[in-house]
Amino acid sequence: MTLPPKVRLVGRRLLQAAPALAGIIIITFVLTRALPGDPAVYFAGPAADEASIAEIRKQLGLDRSLPVQFVSYLRDLATGNLGTSISTGQPVLTEIVTRLPASLELTLTALLLAIAVAVPLGVLAATRPDSWVDHLCRFVVTAGVSLPTFFTGLALVYLFYYLLGWAPPPMGRLDILFLPPDRVTGFYTIDSLLAGDISAFGSALAHLALPAVTLALFTLAPIARMTRAAMLQVLGSDFIRTARAAGLSRRTVLFGYALRNAMLPVITTLGMVFSFALGANVLVEKVFAWPGIGSYAIEALVVSDYAAVQGFVLAMALLFVALNLLIDVIYTLVDPRLQLEE
Amino acid sequence: MDRRSFLKAGAATTLGASLSAGMLPFLKVLPASAATADTLVVVTGTTINSLDLHRTGTNRPSYQVSVNCYDRLLTFGTKTMPDGSLSYDYAKLEGELAESWEIAPDGDSVTFKLKDATFWDGKPVTAADVKWSLDRAVSVGGFPTVQMKAGSLEKPEQFEVVDAKTFRIKFLRKSKLTLPDLAVPVPFIINSTVAKANATEKDPWAMEYLHRTPAGSGAYKVERWDPGQQLVYTRNDAWKGGPLPAAKRIIMREIPSQSTRRALIERGDIHLSHDIPAKDAKELGALKTVKVVGTPIENCLHVLCTNLNFEPFKDKKVRQAVAYAVPYQEIFQNAAYERGAPMWGAKSAEPTDIAWPQPFPYSTDYDKAKELLSQTAFKDGFEVPLSFDLGTAEWGEPTALLIQEGLAKIGIKATIDKIPGANWRTVALVEKKLPLHLDNFGGWLNTPDYYFFWAYVKGNLFNSSNYDDAEMMQLINETLHMPMDDATYAPKIKRMIAKAFDDVPRIPLYQPNLDVAMRPGLDGYEAWFHRMVDVRPLTFKTA
């Protein structure tokens, strides 16, 4: 094989994901069935009797044996059919396709915001240990980690919407009288710009601000912490001393050598932060009535909505496989040592 | 101008004109003068999961689509409550699609004359549409069929098309529940031409089509449905079911977080917040900027259920001891926030009238409880798990804690057991295996016998106490279909209530309220047994 090493790396990582996905499919199927509670009873409604519950169980296909259910699930999956969520009444695939962009838009904005604040803060704190910047960094990090997101969210709503009236009502992604822009990416900010609708863009941005800040406050802590620690370690190492001794400018030392090396653990952290930011999304989505995937999954779990839970876990698994792949690829770009692995 | 004054004024433009623009030019619309708002915004914490009530898995919040977008043959009238608020009137049946109706002289059938109403597509509403719709309700199975059965509406053969505007229902038995059952959200009338055109061999009742696309004759059409986010109603100007609604558009927004809903109504960015917690109702009621309307939910009780399959509760005296050890007043203050009606402390052990619900002859009396318990085999107390549904934790949690304290005083050690909503129905109502638990059943049809039928008959869903008594069973069977003005009705109901007092498998705590917060300018809100917002009579006037 004469494939370039990077392509081979990507290929190998993709192959490694296959058994993980197979495992996830089996485990989610078994786990959702192991959930206590009987969806047939739940969906039979307030005044159902034995006969109507049995009827509904049959309609849902829950009267068949588990292996039979599993085979028909696999068959559906192969054709891209994730089933119909019984709690929302919509095909699971449609739900995921409409809701995932909302969650991603929120999470990515929050992450960018967090990086923009956390990385400079971490670098400054590392270059001036025990100065006021370092203390500020420590304070922000502690606060960010220890304040639950729903609390930060509610506090921000109280201050900026309820008291000051600067923020729009926390009622979702757009003002109540706007229609969503034509769907291209599913990100309202981008789609409204593509549609050339500046006022919709403004509304989308205004609605995005508070939830994104809430989530950013939560995610910037590990990033700032990691940047600071990594920078301190790198700044204390031999090659930085050598560089300084060689008379390189402070700027070159800091950004040319130190930061690039310190970025590696930060990127790993970013991958992790992204995943738990998606988890923390659930609470933020609830507070801001954000129509994302987290709140959808929670609702589905509460009512034992098998198809929705399976679809959600599968979508998340695919997302994580893709994310890990992306991180690995970025790694090879940033870290020259990885290319030598032959 | 800001968003609020805009909503006050209402959008003067229609959506149709601005659809192409992609948005409403709301900054350009200025209030002309004091006027009735064209657009209303209502928020709820629940999600609508289908536009068709008959579909498998349709949840309670979706019933509002049946109320607002469809008509039934009959509806209930309106009455004014003692506090001046409005409520539906179970005693007064009115025609919605029916112009008039007449019971046959032999009392075996009822014949309806239909109004000259049209469906949204302009097609007239005919008796064939009515028959198709009622056939559907009794045939699809699940909840709709069960609810129809409660009104003795069980088979398609009962429904007969006499001519295009005349429709007859043959009675299986003479029952006072049949006509009221035609006014609940279930038997709504569908445009059968549209539905049949979209039916398939596998789906003869067009469940898939009507799930997303209502086809009715009701006051509002669905302009837009974003599941999990919002439902937008637009007015049907040709509505014949009642007086034309004032608002042209109504936006139902789903806001999951209660704190957010409260902030929105306090700030005045919305017009109505439906089904708010008792605590908020009490606090918002004290504000001048928000109007809170609370209506006791008819035929509904929050109760503590003792399960007769659990050894100690087989003894009536133990159940009575528990009923004397419940700190009613504290529960009413800390769980109900004094909203609702107290259901304890009646003077006499014999009911004086047939009002239901009515206070039970128990109050907090630990000495009496101890004395009763000492007469049983369980005088040294026992241990019992006390369960509640996490979905009702707002009142369930404080109530359970207070009951735990009360029971501890007479030597009964209760351990609190919280059960997630999905499991609740299975363990509490279907398997009926929770020894001691909280329940909040309410019957749609407002007669005492209907409540007793569901909650005191062995095997019926809401009899989670496994109560089984031959005399009670006989009384229920005799009264369930009997007209309420029958001479033997009242004595039998009194006997039923007296038995419920004495046997206490279910210990009532209080009758809950349905609380709704709205802007002071909003009028016309009416409370319904189905606990959904009927948006049709809502009007909002700007000052």
Side-chain angles (χ1 to χ4, degrees):
Chain A
M1 291 285 267
T2 51
L3 286 169
K6 266 182 202 166
V7 175
R8 240 187 297 162
L9 179 81
V10 171
R12 202 165 59 232
R13 298 290 289 114
L14 274 178
L15 276 183
Q16 281 167 359
L21 280 181
I24 285 162
I25 291 173
I26 294 170
I27 289 172
T28 50
F29 181 83
V30 174
L31 273 188
T32 45
R33 261 67 183 175
L35 285 176
D38 185 341
V41 175
Y42 191 86
F43 291 115
D49 52 17
E50 288 296 329
S52 57
I53 291 171
E55 228 167 84
I56 283 171
R57 183 167 292 126
K58 192 151 173 261
Q59 280 179 25
L60 298 177
L62 297 174
D63 56 336
R64 296 172 300 171
S65 70
L66 276 189
V68 177
Q69 287 185 42
F70 185 63
V71 170
S72 70
Y73 173 56
L74 284 186
R75 203 178 300 136
D76 284 349
L77 212 54
T79 57
N81 177 5
L82 293 180
T84 298
S85 155
I86 189 126
S87 58
T88 62
Q90 305 298 311
V92 174
L93 194 65
T94 325
E95 289 273 11
I96 290 174
V97 168
T98 50
R99 285 169 172 268
L100 194 58
S103 286
L104 284 182
E105 184 178 33
L106 176 58
T107 311
L108 288 177
T109 313
L111 216 54
L112 286 180
L113 216 60
I115 294 170
V117 176
V119 171
L121 195 64
V123 171
L124 281 174
T127 48
R128 297 174 182 76
D130 289 322
S131 70
W132 67 268
V133 184
D134 195 16
H135 288 302
L136 177 76
C137 176
R138 204 164 286 147
F139 172 77
V140 169
V141 164
T142 316
V145 166
S146 51
L147 291 174
T149 44
F150 70 87
F151 173 79
T152 337
L154 282 178
L156 291 178
V157 168
Y158 182 68
L159 184 65
F160 291 105
Y161 166 65
Y162 186 80
L163 290 182
L164 298 173
W166 294 351
M171 296 172 78
R173 300 174 77 183
L174 275 181
D175 250 314
I176 207 148
L177 296 172
F178 280 89
L179 290 171
D182 294 335
R183 187 192 168 80
V184 183
T185 59
F187 287 29
Y188 281 7
T189 42
I190 297 176
D191 286 356
S192 58
L193 279 185
L194 288 179
D197 190 342
I198 296 300
S199 50
F201 174 74
S203 173
L205 208 58
H207 280 79
L208 189 58
L210 282 194
V213 169
T214 308
L215 207 54
L217 278 177
F218 174 71
T219 48
L220 67 75
I223 304 174
R225 204 68 209 152
M226 212 55 197
T227 314
R228 181 180 176 275
M231 275 303 274
L232 272 180
Q233 201 195 3
V234 172
L235 286 174
S237 57
D238 293 346
F239 72 92
I240 293 293
R241 198 182 49 200
T242 312
R244 280 193 181 132
L248 292 178
S249 75
R250 188 181 153 81
R251 172 179 290 265
T252 319
V253 171
L254 212 53
F255 296 105
Y257 294 93
L259 191 59
R260 186 161 182 206
N261 279 286
M263 264 353 266
L264 290 176
V266 175
I267 289 171
T268 322
T269 316
L270 268 184
M272 271 157 54
V273 165
F274 182 78
S275 54
F276 69 65
L278 267 179
N281 243 343
V282 173
L283 296 170
V284 181
E285 284 173 11
K286 286 265 175 212
V287 171
F288 293 94
W290 198 262
I293 193 128
S295 45
Y296 172 67
I298 288 291
E299 294 299 323
L301 258 181
V302 168
V303 299
S304 309
D305 188 345
Y306 293 167
V309 174
Q310 284 166 184
F312 168 76
V313 176
L314 204 61
M316 284 293 131
L318 287 174
L319 192 66
F320 278 95
V321 168
L323 185 74
N324 280 328
L325 192 69
L326 187 72
I327 298 271
D328 280 357
V329 172
I330 295 177
Y331 235 88
T332 59
L333 296 179
V334 178
D335 190 349
R337 283 169 300 180
L338 273 184
Q339 288 169 351
L340 302 175
E341 189 199 341
E342 277 291 313
Chain B
M1 79 180 279
D2 62 15
R3 190 173 302 103
R4 248 163 304 139
S5 41
F6 165 66
L7 283 179
K8 270 181 203 149
T13 44
T14 60
L15 190 83
S18 48
L19 264 172
S20 51
M23 61 160 285
L24 280 170
F26 74 94
L27 289 170
K28 294 174 195 124
V29 181
L30 289 164
S33 62
T36 306
D38 281 340
T39 302
L40 299 181
V41 183
V42 176
V43 298
T44 65
T46 48
T47 292
I48 291 169
N49 73 354
S50 174
L51 306 183
D52 178 7
L53 188 151
H54 292 168
R55 191 172 185 267
T56 304
T58 296
N59 59 9
R60 280 183 73 94
S62 310
Y63 297 175
Q64 60 161 294
V65 179
S66 166
V67 174
N68 296 313
C69 295
Y70 285 100
D71 291 324
R72 281 136 293 273
L73 286 172
L74 300 176
T75 185
F76 292 108
T78 305
K79 67 181 174 192
T80 308
M81 302 295 282
D83 66 350
S85 65
L86 301 177
S87 166
Y88 90 104
D89 186 357
Y90 185 80
K92 201 160 87 194
L93 278 172
E94 290 175 358
E96 199 161 58
L97 277 180
E99 181 80 58
S100 63
W101 64 97
E102 200 178 352
I103 309 266
D106 62 1
D108 281 343
S109 66
V110 56
T111 307
F112 295 90
K113 279 271 170 225
L114 301 183
K115 289 181 185 172
D116 275 325
T118 51
F119 288 109
W120 300 329
D121 63 0
K123 192 190 148 290
V125 178
T126 66
D129 294 304
V130 178
K131 175 166 171 60
W132 192 84
S133 307
L134 296 190
D135 284 357
R136 188 181 198 249
V138 298
S139 308
V140 290
F143 165 66
T145 302
V146 174
Q147 181 63 44
M148 293 298 280
K149 210 170 159 181
S152 301
L153 301 163
E154 298 175 18
K155 296 182 292 205
E157 295 82 68
Q158 285 179 264
F159 311 126
E160 186 191 333
V161 176
V162 180
D163 61 46
K165 287 287 170 193
T166 318
F167 177 73
R168 183 174 297 142
I169 296 179
K170 288 180 243 165
F171 297 145
L172 284 183
R173 61 185 74 85
K174 288 172 195 167
S175 169
K176 64 169 182 292
L177 299 178
T178 301
L179 287 182
D181 205 34
L182 288 171
V184 304
V186 174
F188 58 90
I189 309 305
I190 303 162
N191 186 336
S192 66
T193 320
V194 172
K196 280 182 199 156
N198 290 283
T200 60
E201 204 166 307
K202 262 184 77 185
D203 179 22
W205 297 112
M207 304 288 254
E208 272 315 305
Y209 177 77
L210 292 171
H211 165 48
R212 261 171 268 268
T213 335
S217 57
Y220 282 96
K221 303 181 242 192
V222 170
E223 175 186 308
R224 180 184 174 90
W225 178 38
D226 302 309
Q229 298 175 55
Q230 65 175 358
L231 183 72
V232 181
Y233 294 118
T234 34
R235 189 173 68 190
N236 165 23
D237 290 336
W239 189 46
K240 291 289 187 322
L244 193 67
K248 287 195 183 119
R249 289 175 81 210
I250 294 186
I251 302 171
M252 302 280 316
R253 268 281 171 127
E254 292 164 13
I255 308 287
S257 156
Q258 169 48 36
S259 315
T260 309
R261 293 202 296 279
R262 179 164 168 175
L264 289 168
I265 190 72
E266 273 193 57
R267 288 274 303 179
D269 277 331
I270 55 170
H271 293 98
L272 187 142
S273 176
H274 186 64
D275 203 359
I276 60 174
K279 181 170 186 285
D280 282 359
K282 190 178 179 187
E283 289 167 8
L284 290 175
L287 299 177
K288 281 210 170 55
T289 49
V290 180
K291 180 164 84 175
V292 174
V293 173
T295 320
I297 303 170
E298 281 182 352
N299 221 359
C300 181
L301 282 170
H302 282 178
V303 293
L304 173 66
C305 291
T306 57
N307 193 330
L308 273 66
N309 281 2
F310 180 69
E311 196 56 38
F313 293 141
K314 285 199 163 88
D315 190 331
K316 182 167 89 181
K317 290 210 167 103
V318 176
R319 303 200 296 266
Q320 291 175 340
V322 171
Y324 279 114
V326 172
Y328 296 99
Q329 186 62 41
E330 282 87 346
I331 291 173
F332 193 59
Q333 277 164 359
N334 297 302
Y337 291 88
E338 295 176 330
R339 300 192 69 83
M343 281 296 140
W344 70 92
K347 294 280 181 292
S348 156
E350 286 295 323
T352 47
D353 57 21
I354 62 163
W356 182 262
Q358 62 170 291
F360 273 39
Y362 298 90
S363 47
T364 318
D365 185 343
Y366 296 114
D367 293 330
K368 199 155 181 181
K370 271 186 221 154
E371 192 199 311
L372 277 164
L373 199 62
S374 70
Q375 296 166 17
T376 70
F378 304 94
K379 51 181 174 294
D380 301 325
F382 52 89
E383 281 194 29
V384 59
L386 167 55
S387 321
F388 67 89
D389 177 358
L390 265 182
T392 60
E394 249 152 29
W395 66 274
E397 184 133 36
T399 304
L401 288 170
L402 288 164
I403 292 174
Q404 184 187 36
E405 263 175 46
L407 291 180
K409 291 195 178 133
I410 61 166
I412 301 176
K413 192 166 176 291
T415 44
I416 293 192
D417 175 25
K418 305 174 190 181
I419 299 183
N423 307 358
W424 178 259
R425 300 189 67 81
T426 317
V427 291
L429 303 180
V430 177
E431 294 170 2
K432 304 185 193 298
K433 63 180 187 189
L434 300 176
L436 187 64
H437 56 277
L438 300 175
D439 174 70
N440 62 349
F441 169 64
W444 270 7
L445 303 179
N446 187 23
T447 64
D449 42 283
Y450 190 72
Y451 187 95
F452 277 78
F453 171 74
W454 285 110
Y456 287 87
V457 171
K458 186 175 168 57
N460 276 5
L461 191 71
F462 293 98
N463 181 9
S464 48
S465 298
N466 288 304
Y467 179 70
D468 183 17
D469 182 273
E471 191 195 346
M472 184 70 105
M473 187 85 142
Q474 196 193 344
L475 286 167
I476 293 169
N477 282 336
E478 284 168 359
T479 52
L480 191 59
H481 303 294
M482 184 187 275
M484 291 170 88
D485 50 13
D486 190 294
T488 59
Y489 182 75
K492 283 182 198 291
I493 294 290
K494 274 190 195 168
R495 176 67 196 135
M496 250 159 61
I497 297 177
K499 271 197 81 68
F501 281 1
D502 189 48
D503 283 346
V504 287
R506 302 167 69 85
I507 304 165
L509 305 168
Y510 62 93
Q511 180 184 14
N513 257 12
L514 176 65
D515 287 312
V516 175
M518 58 194 93
R519 297 260 295 279
L522 194 79
D523 274 319
Y525 167 76
E526 191 179 327
W528 280 85
F529 60 90
H530 48 61
R531 307 186 215 174
M532 299 291 116
V533 206
D534 180 351
V535 298
R536 297 172 299 184
L538 299 181
T539 56
F540 183 77
K541 285 208 173 57
T542 43

